[in-house]
Amino acid sequence: MVQPVENLTALRLRLLARHTHPRLSDWYLATCEVLATAPVQGMADLITPNLTGSQMSLGIRRELLIDVAIGATLHLRARLGSSADILAEPHPDPGDFRVERP
């Protein structure tokens, strides 16, 4: 069995839409415009090389998006999961998730 690669990427995104995640309860599947990506020290960046355009979809825990309006800028860290889903950190440390209101 192949061991998954530990990976994490810092992202700056503009929230364009969100819907209930089709497989993860208490998560949204968010569609975002990618504004910037950056590697996280000591972790592989598997997201940036696989971007195919200026938009991406990723899972974000619903609690993190309470009162966040469409058009807000999100600063977060995410990983590429084993099923090729991109998932934001579910319980980020203070400072690793923030929102700029539109």
Side-chain angles (χ1 to χ4, degrees), residues 12-26:
R12 186 165 54 95
L13 308 167
R14 179 166 294 115
L15 181 63
L16 302 176
R18 65 174 168 232
H19 307 283
T20 300
H21 197 287
R23 291 189 321 275
L24 301 173
S25 62
D26 299 324

Side-chain angles (χ1 to χ4, degrees), residues 8-15 32-40 45 47-49 51 53-56 58 73-78 86 98 100:
L8 198 61
T9 304
L11 300 168
R12 186 165 54 95
L13 308 167
R14 179 166 294 115
L15 181 63
C32 298
E33 177 185 0
V34 178
L35 303 175
T37 68
V40 172
D45 176 1
I47 294 175
T48 303
L51 289 175
S54 63
Q55 289 188 9
M56 68 184 301
L58 74 158
T73 299
L74 308 175
H75 298 261
L76 55 85
R77 301 186 326 170
I86 298 173
R98 67 183 174 89
E100 293 176 30

Side-chain angles (χ1 to χ4, degrees), residues 78-102:
R79 68 185 74 246
L80 183 64
S82 59
S83 61
D85 288 330
I86 298 173
L87 298 173
E89 289 182 304
H91 304 283
D93 289 334
D96 287 335
F97 183 91
R98 67 183 174 89
V99 175
E100 293 176 30
R101 306 291 175 189

Side-chain angles (χ1 to χ4, degrees), residues 3-8 42-46 79-80:
Q3 188 74 10
V5 174
E6 284 296 316
N7 70 95
L8 198 61
M43 302 293 275
D45 176 1
L46 300 182
R79 68 185 74 246
L80 183 64

